[in-house]
Amino acid sequence: MGSVIDNVVNGSINKTEASNTANGTTIAAGGNSLGKDAFLQLLVTQMKYQDPLNPSSDTEYISQLATFSQLEELQNLNSTYSQTQAYALVGKTVALSTTDSTGATSYVTGTVDYVTMTGGNAYVVVNGNKYSLDNILEVYDDNFILSLGTPDVEKSEVTYNHEEPSDITVSIDLGKTSVATALAVIVNNQAIDTKYLSLNGDKLTIKAEAFNDLKEGEYDVIFSFNDALNTVVNNKVSLTIKGEAKPGEETSKEETSNDEA
């Protein structure tokens, strides 16, 4: 008959698997590898060898066929979902873990270059190597990667005194992964004219004339960069203005100089 049924001794089955030698399908007892093909073969075998004196009803077969259809749809859905997950990772930066033949675990970080299908399973290719989706530990957003190296300003408190005017210097980092080539400095909701700004390496100097019109008080200095993320730093530098403001002082100097000329 092509079917082997093990003997039962003292209420226990001697062997742990039943094999169908006619079609080469082996189903391990207690295993979880029952696929749709094996399920269909079991159903056909059941129909073929059912007891003619006590045949199964049509309702039983319909129920089993419905179960088979549900199993197949779930497997197809799971496969499609895995592929969709993999395709969405192309271009993303991921962190993966791998285990070699000795059991040692190593970690890899890189960009998913493309997705390849093998045996119906999706694999991501990172740094030229193929990895299963199960190897992925973390997926990073592009903006998050950029934010790790965005422009910044060293935290400081600076003071300007109208009675003893002097330039102010702050430390600036133009960024590493998201690099800026220019910046704007805003105080009291007004941008400081670029003619008062001088950047030398990581030192930004703001000329004293930029603060002539500011009244005595505390101000936050806002720095706006032109990097890929348009980074704005507004909580690093606080400015204290002392003494009486002298608005128009620079204009008067310029007019005097022109009259003398």
Side-chain angles (χ1 to χ4, degrees):
M1 291 173 50
S3 177
V4 177
I5 301 177
D6 295 322
N7 295 326
V8 177
V9 179
N10 295 327
S12 300
I13 299 177
N14 283 343
K15 298 181 181 179
T16 59
E17 63 179 27
S19 60
N20 187 328
T21 58
N23 52 36
T25 301
T26 300
I27 303 167
N32 58 0
S33 60
L34 180 60
K36 61 182 181 181
D37 293 334
F39 187 92
L40 184 58
Q41 290 167 1
L42 284 174
L43 182 59
V44 171
T45 301
Q46 180 184 359
M47 295 174 63
K48 183 176 180 181
Y49 296 107
Q50 66 178 319
D51 185 355
L53 299 179
N54 185 26
S56 300
S57 67
D58 293 341
T59 303
E60 292 178 30
Y61 286 126
I62 292 173
S63 176
Q64 292 180 30
L65 283 172
T67 302
F68 162 71
S69 297
Q70 291 176 346
L71 173 64
E72 185 175 31
E73 288 299 322
L74 286 173
Q75 288 180 328
N76 292 337
L77 181 62
N78 182 63
S79 177
T80 301
Y81 178 68
S82 296
Q83 294 177 25
T84 301
Q85 274 188 312
Y87 295 142
L89 293 174
V90 175
K92 295 289 186 181
T93 301
V94 297
L96 310 103
S97 67
T98 60
T99 304
D100 59 22
S101 56
T102 64
T105 300
S106 59
Y107 299 91
V108 177
T109 300
T111 302
V112 177
D113 298 318
Y114 61 93
V115 172
T116 182
M117 302 296 298
T118 302
N121 296 318
Y123 294 86
V124 295
V125 177
V126 178
N127 300 332
N129 298 313
K130 185 172 67 175
Y131 300 94
S132 168
L133 295 182
D134 295 334
N135 294 123
I136 297 177
L137 298 175
E138 296 175 331
V139 180
Y140 304 108
D141 179 74
D142 295 338
N143 287 340
F144 173 74
I145 296 298
L146 288 174
S147 70
L148 297 178
T150 55
D152 201 2
V153 181
E154 185 178 288
K155 190 174 183 64
S156 60
E157 297 179 357
V158 294
T159 301
Y160 175 84
N161 192 331
H162 285 296
E163 303 301 326
E164 299 178 357
S166 61
D167 297 344
I168 288 176
T169 301
V170 294
S171 296
I172 298 290
D173 181 356
L174 293 179
K176 298 175 179 62
T177 58
S178 182
V179 181
T181 58
L183 76 159
V185 181
I186 302 168
V187 179
N188 198 27
N189 295 323
Q190 297 213 353
I192 294 178
D193 195 312
T194 55
K195 68 182 181 182
Y196 299 131
L197 305 178
S198 175
L199 183 62
N200 183 15
D202 63 347
K203 300 297 182 182
L204 175 68
T205 300
I206 307 175
K207 293 183 179 180
E209 291 83 359
F211 308 111
N212 281 343
D213 295 337
L214 289 179
K215 295 180 179 180
E216 189 172 25
E218 302 286 335
Y219 300 87
D220 286 329
V221 184
I222 301 173
F223 300 83
S224 178
F225 297 88
N226 70 339
D227 62 305
L229 296 179
N230 294 318
T231 301
V232 174
V233 178
N234 59 7
N235 58 354
K236 292 295 186 69
V237 177
S238 60
L239 170 65
T240 300
I241 300 293
K242 294 183 177 181
E244 185 179 350
K246 300 177 182 179
E249 181 177 343
E250 182 180 309
T251 302
S252 298
K253 289 181 179 180
E254 290 179 354
E255 289 177 349
T256 302
S257 176
N258 291 334
D259 291 341
E260 292 177 352

